[in-house]
Amino acid sequence: MRKACGILLLGVVALAGCNSETSRTVGGGDVLAAAGIPGAVAATALSEQDSTPMVVRRVWGGPDVDLFGGVSPDGRYLTFVDWTTGNLAVRELATGEVRLLTDDGSWAEPQEWAEFSSVSPDGKRVAYRWYRHGAPPSELRIVGMNGSGRRVLYRNAGSYFGSGVWSPDGEQIVTVQSYVDGPVDMLSISAADGSVQTLKRFESSWPGGLSFSPDGRFIVYHHETKKDSPERDIFVLELDGGREIPLVQHPADDYVLGWTPDGEHILFASDRTGTLGAWLLPVAGSAAAGHPRLVKPDMWRVLPLGFTQDGSFFYGVNMEARDVYVASLDPETGGLLAPPASVNPTHLAWDYRPAWSPDGRYLVFLSGEGALIGTAFKHTFYSIRSVETGETRQLVPDLNDFGRCVWWIDGHSLLVPGADRTDRAGLFRVDVHTGEAEPLPAFWDVQIASLVDPSPDGKKVFYTKWTGGGERRIAVMDLDTGRERLLFPDENEARPALSADGRYLAFSIDDNNSHRILVMPATGGEPRELQRYEAEGPTVLNVAWSPDGRNVLYTVRTDDTHQLWRISVAGGLPQKIDLAMESIQQLRIHPDGRRIAFDAGSGGAEVWVMENFLPAE
């Protein structure tokens, strides 16, 4: 794994107010009116502003920025994950100096890395989640801000948990723990001895945005009000008695950014005006003490990093963007006939995972837009684009959850891994016109990691799956008998490709000493090596077959650039194709052999601080 960031985020959206190092709230209603905010809301917001202008500053930007950490109470440091090593790190914001706090991160098997860190109220300790393949899947750890005293505080082999928040006295860490096919618990864990107390159980939703009141009596958080709804509301939990109190209930999507250090306000994000903004709600104890007011209308997809003691609010914005592209190649020479062009250039969202229909007339891909709900988008759907007319329409399957799809052999339906309306996991055949989903009984409760393709006769489906030990395997399922065969370990999570005639699989593996491309019979057997790169060289990522079965196309990564190559299945030297972009994924060759579809994007993130926005005392 590399920088997964666990998070799928949108890009290619103009950041109003974030295109300069500093922006200020000044003047009358023109500022908010220009941002699309109704005049009445703008007047209310400005009428309550203190005379000191609000300032928003960017404090860190670039491809190495990570948003899985938190700010120290004095605002000097920011914890984050160094994704080149997987270790927990801390950055001094004024100087840019970086120090690693752990040294056991590794991308060799079993891979393990740090996630979701937060700094203690005294600024001396950091709590973080440590993840590794296998059991237990995750641990809650603590380390000193100077890298000393590292220890495991809590682990549970039957569950995994999210980020933790420190109590104001530094004695407890509250986190959320999820059980496989079970409920979600909000836990309070002693920072001294790891003893655990369950604060509240949630049967279907995952609470997020946990933030303590400064007096330690309450915790504010958000969660979905309905299981299938992307909208969230905000609640307060009274720690003395465990009573949950609704705080913000609105048809919009509302989520917590933090409890202010003075204890008198809760900052939250909401899209109730049409765009995501930051709102400030006065509170007295666990109850609202007034109406929320808009303090910043242009927050895009804000990810909170915490408040400092002086009331400054740090937050992150992920700048990643993905689009689906199509380029033209000469199938004989491999020469580039037409450079890559976005198939959906006006869609300011996340488009990815393309697949051609069997007759080549349509291209389907996943699209996401709107605010994030956990690691998914508020609105996710399939885009189906006509190759002849360029018309693109949306398709939402009749499923609770769905992911990357491939076409079924009839060209009128899609194979979709996901969950039905009862949340049972499986593989479904989805009608491209109606969205009706028909389950394939052989796949009930199979843990599909990625879908490859059906065999040309429709009798088998190839895929990769998760095993009980947290490892992946290339597998094939016989749809008539329900018999599954494990064909090969999928060691580096690269998606295999099935040849057009269904006879062979091509895939890449990483054994820590080399990166190799292998070909093996689809029925199983010993694989044959096509190409090898040494461990210090380029990393092989994606593979695809030419329709005639004569060549395998693949990408290799060198730094941030992904370069397209092809190699003959008969052997010989690989041929470099004049196509290189950042972060190419999901290669798919058109049945005519002349067009190639893929998704690609750019990375990076930014950290900002918002100051002087709290009311004067």
Side-chain angles (χ1 to χ4, degrees), residues 113-116 127-131 138-141 160-162:
W113 61 91
E115 291 179 331
F116 302 130
Y128 60 100
R129 187 176 84 173
W130 190 259
Y131 185 88
S138 56
E139 299 173 342
L140 180 64
R141 296 184 176 185
Y160 64 94
F161 48 89

Side-chain angles (χ1 to χ4, degrees), residues 208-209 220-223 230-234 248 252-258 266-272 276-279 299-304 316 371-373:
V220 65
Y221 53 92
H222 57 253
H223 62 77
E231 279 72 35
R232 294 165 284 188
D233 283 340
I234 298 174
V248 177
D253 181 35
D254 303 300
Y255 61 96
V256 176
L257 299 179
I266 288 173
L267 187 69
F268 68 96
S270 178
D271 61 1
R272 61 187 60 193
L276 194 68
W279 295 73
M299 295 298 282
W300 202 40
R301 293 173 185 88
V302 54
L303 298 172
L372 289 170
I373 310 297

Side-chain angles (χ1 to χ4, degrees), residues 65-195:
V65 176
D66 168 70
L67 305 179
F68 276 3
V71 67
S72 62
D74 58 9
R76 292 182 58 193
Y77 302 100
L78 185 74
T79 58
F80 68 101
V81 180
D82 171 29
W83 288 103
T84 61
T85 63
N87 283 303
L88 180 67
V90 61
R91 177 184 179 91
E92 187 173 5
L93 293 174
T95 65
E97 179 186 354
V98 172
R99 292 181 288 108
L100 295 182
L101 301 183
T102 64
D103 58 9
D104 46 350
S106 173
W107 301 125
E109 294 293 342
Q111 298 175 354
E112 50 186 321
W113 61 91
E115 291 179 331
F116 302 130
S117 58
S118 61
V119 184
S120 62
D122 61 6
K124 297 180 179 180
R125 296 167 293 171
V126 181
Y128 60 100
R129 187 176 84 173
W130 190 259
Y131 185 88
R132 69 163 62 91
H133 284 293
S138 56
E139 299 173 342
L140 180 64
R141 296 184 176 185
I142 290 180
V143 66
M145 187 63 92
N146 59 3
S148 65
R150 186 171 67 216
R151 59 192 173 97
V152 176
L153 189 63
Y154 175 74
R155 64 163 63 97
N156 188 327
S159 66
Y160 64 94
F161 48 89
S163 55
V165 57
W166 290 83
S167 62
D169 59 11
E171 296 182 359
Q172 302 288 323
I173 299 170
V174 173
T175 187
V176 177
Q177 177 174 258
S178 173
Y179 303 88
V180 177
D181 298 326
V184 176
D185 287 338
M186 185 184 296
L187 304 178
S188 179
I189 302 173
S190 169
D193 58 18
S195 57

Side-chain angles (χ1 to χ4, degrees), residues 190-526:
S190 169
D193 58 18
S195 57
V196 177
Q197 176 189 1
T198 300
L199 299 179
K200 183 174 175 59
R201 171 157 289 187
F202 302 81
E203 295 299 334
S204 59
S205 61
W206 178 284
L210 279 63
S211 182
F212 265 97
S213 62
D215 60 11
R217 297 169 56 203
F218 312 106
I219 294 178
V220 65
Y221 53 92
H222 57 253
H223 62 77
E224 300 90 340
T225 55
K226 297 179 181 179
K227 186 173 181 58
D228 301 330
S229 172
E231 279 72 35
R232 294 165 284 188
D233 283 340
I234 298 174
F235 303 84
V236 170
L237 182 69
E238 293 183 338
L239 296 182
D240 184 10
R243 185 166 65 107
E244 182 183 69
I245 303 168
L247 188 67
V248 177
Q249 293 180 299
H250 194 278
D253 181 35
D254 303 300
Y255 61 96
V256 176
L257 299 179
W259 209 311
T260 60
D262 61 10
E264 297 180 0
H265 300 86
I266 288 173
L267 187 69
F268 68 96
S270 178
D271 61 1
R272 61 187 60 193
T273 60
T275 58
L276 194 68
W279 295 73
L280 199 61
L281 176 68
V283 293
S286 59
H291 297 291
R293 65 180 178 87
L294 182 66
V295 294
K296 193 172 188 300
D298 51 354
M299 295 298 282
W300 202 40
R301 293 173 185 88
V302 54
L303 298 172
L305 298 175
F307 274 97
T308 58
Q309 294 164 337
D310 65 1
S312 298
F313 174 64
F314 283 74
Y315 64 95
V317 176
N318 193 300
M319 306 298 290
E320 289 182 294
R322 296 209 74 81
D323 286 291
V324 170
Y325 295 86
V326 172
S328 294
L329 305 175
D330 186 319
E332 295 300 324
T333 67
L336 187 67
L337 300 178
S342 172
V343 302
N344 209 15
T346 62
H347 184 222
L348 301 181
W350 188 287
D351 295 326
Y352 59 117
R353 302 293 185 258
W356 299 103
S357 61
D359 59 9
R361 295 177 59 198
Y362 297 95
L363 183 68
V364 66
F365 48 91
L366 265 171
S367 293
E369 59 186 21
L372 289 170
I373 310 297
T375 59
F377 295 107
K378 184 175 181 179
H379 302 294
T380 303
F381 50 88
Y382 294 115
S383 294
I384 301 179
R385 182 177 186 270
S386 168
V387 174
E388 297 171 357
T389 67
E391 178 185 359
T392 302
R393 63 182 180 88
Q394 297 181 5
L395 174 70
V396 179
D398 185 23
L399 295 168
N400 275 0
D401 187 30
F402 52 92
R404 176 241 176 188
C405 70
V406 298
W407 288 87
W408 182 240
I409 60 172
D410 61 6
H412 300 295
S413 53
L414 305 172
L415 277 188
V416 176
D420 66 10
R421 293 304 185 186
T422 68
D423 273 341
R424 187 177 184 185
L427 185 64
F428 303 85
R429 196 159 56 202
V430 174
D431 188 290
V432 296
H433 301 290
T434 67
E436 181 180 352
E438 176 190 356
L440 301 183
F443 277 92
W444 281 128
D445 303 319
V446 175
Q447 298 297 312
I448 298 175
S450 66
L451 202 54
V452 180
D453 264 319
S455 60
D457 59 8
K459 294 183 177 181
K460 298 179 176 64
V461 174
F462 294 84
Y463 56 101
T464 65
K465 66 171 294 184
W466 293 107
T467 65
E471 299 174 338
R472 291 165 54 121
R473 294 289 185 268
I474 300 174
V476 59
M477 179 73 75
D478 188 304
L479 296 181
D480 291 332
T481 65
R483 179 173 175 263
E484 179 186 64
R485 290 189 60 197
L486 302 181
L487 300 177
F488 198 82
D490 184 24
E491 298 182 15
N492 66 337
E493 303 184 15
R495 294 180 178 84
L498 183 68
S499 61
D501 59 10
R503 297 176 58 194
Y504 296 98
L505 287 165
F507 52 94
S508 63
I509 67 170
D510 180 359
D511 60 8
N512 299 325
N513 296 316
S514 62
H515 312 290
R516 296 184 291 159
I517 301 174
L518 304 179
V519 172
M520 69 177 292
T523 55
E526 190 67 25

Side-chain angles (χ1 to χ4, degrees), residues 51-72:
S51 59
T52 304
M54 182 178 73
V55 175
V56 180
R57 298 183 293 112
R58 188 179 65 178
V59 297
W60 187 20
D64 298 328
V65 176
D66 168 70
L67 305 179
F68 276 3
V71 67
S72 62

